[in-house]
Amino acid sequence: MPQDIALYIHVPFCRHKCNYCSFVSYEHREADIPAYLRALAAELTRHANGVWVQSIYFGGGTPSLLSPTQIGDIITDIRQLYSVAATAEITMEANPGTVSLEYLSTIRGVGINRLSLGIQSLNDAELALMGRSHTGDEAREAVRMVRHAGLANLNLDLIYGLPGQSLTDWRRTLEAASALEAEHLSVYGLSLEPETPLWQAVQKKEIPAIDPDMSADQYELTEEMLAAHGYQHYEISNWARPGYKCRHNLTYWQNQPYLGVGVAAHSFIKGHRLANTGNLDKYLAAFSDNPAAARDTDEEISPQLQLAETIILGLRLCDGLSLDGILIRFGVDLLEYYQQPVTEMVKVDLLECTNRQLRLTRRGRLLSNEVFWRFLPQ
Ligand code: SF4
């Protein structure tokens, strides 16, 4: 019986590193793209073993640094090696300033049916602070080109909680982003990762620190404004027009199997979590020599940890978790198994349970990490 999976392809190249970025991405390494594509093809061949692909996601990095022909060749390889559902969602991340109308029309022609644009803000001062290599106008132009190219499923990424960003600044960004009428919005609070230029600037007091109260106010404003603009809030950081939830990411939140291919890619297959090396040179060397060396970790996830992870990921969804679904999948009555923490968290308005669905309250969404750790095994 083939296993349904979501397939993630990591493209670790960027024109330059943004000031907040801690993702596995490399600048000034575009000359390695041909070798990287050969390694990807080899890794895809290694894993082609009775799986049924429901979604494909090109993430990065900046996948739009690959040519449409290179993207098309990867999709052709996947279709030859795997069973791909006719209705598969095939997403590609792109950055404004890296795409043209011709580029977008061609990638649509080779199979991309969902585009995720990393616009982050439409305010040029904020974009400069983040070290993004595009302006707000270039982001608007990219959205116009996406529509002219006929791509009808568009996500925009936005970031709030920037140092010095007021509620009014964020309101303007939300208004401007809503006016672009994307089908989906992913809205993340800025996290200052150690050693990034933005983190260093805060350490040196060149810019103010993130204000957590302001971030919470901005999050609440996001919930109100996007609801008023007709978006359905379906995951802590994600909003969609009806019918446009991201099917690929739902696989992660439902803790279903996924296969990640490429440098630093993670997989969750048959109860094992696998992680590839995050080192590009090691990854490239492995695939010209010993493919097994590209894998950094292979960890068997105990049933108890799988249960905890399924609860934590499922609670990220605004619909919450089906208690019956947990019972069928793990043979566990969640309300009995976690009686004490659930009772306590319901009492303090972090969780609610109705119609056999357990979900975060509005307050719980703001304090989600306080909730999640209570489900982890000792
Ligand atoms: S575009 Fe994305 S992956 Fe690349 S440097 Fe910027 S934040 Fe990092």
Side-chain angles (χ1 to χ4, degrees), residues 270-312:
K270 296 184 179 145
H272 284 243
R273 185 162 26 248
L274 314 163
N276 281 348
T277 173
N279 182 305
L280 179 58
D281 292 317
K282 200 169 156 195
Y283 180 82
L284 291 175
F287 274 98
S288 62
D289 185 13
N290 169 21
R295 176 138 300 148
D296 253 7
T297 58
D298 178 345
E299 180 193 1
E300 184 168 2
I301 309 296
S302 69
Q304 200 189 8
L305 187 53
Q306 281 191 47
L307 169 65
E309 290 180 349
T310 303
I311 294 169
I312 290 168

Side-chain angles (χ1 to χ4, degrees), residues 14 16-18 20-21 23 25 60-62 95 132:
C14 286
H16 91 120
K17 200 83 177 161
C18 300
Y20 58 94
C21 181
F23 302 123
S25 70
T62 308
N95 281 328
R132 300 290 298 178

Side-chain angles (χ1 to χ4, degrees), residues 249-271:
N249 287 345
L250 279 170
T251 306
Y252 300 144
W253 297 319
Q254 290 164 350
N255 209 18
Q256 297 293 341
Y258 54 87
L259 172 64
V261 174
V263 69
H266 285 59
S267 306
F268 175 55
I269 301 269
K270 296 184 179 145

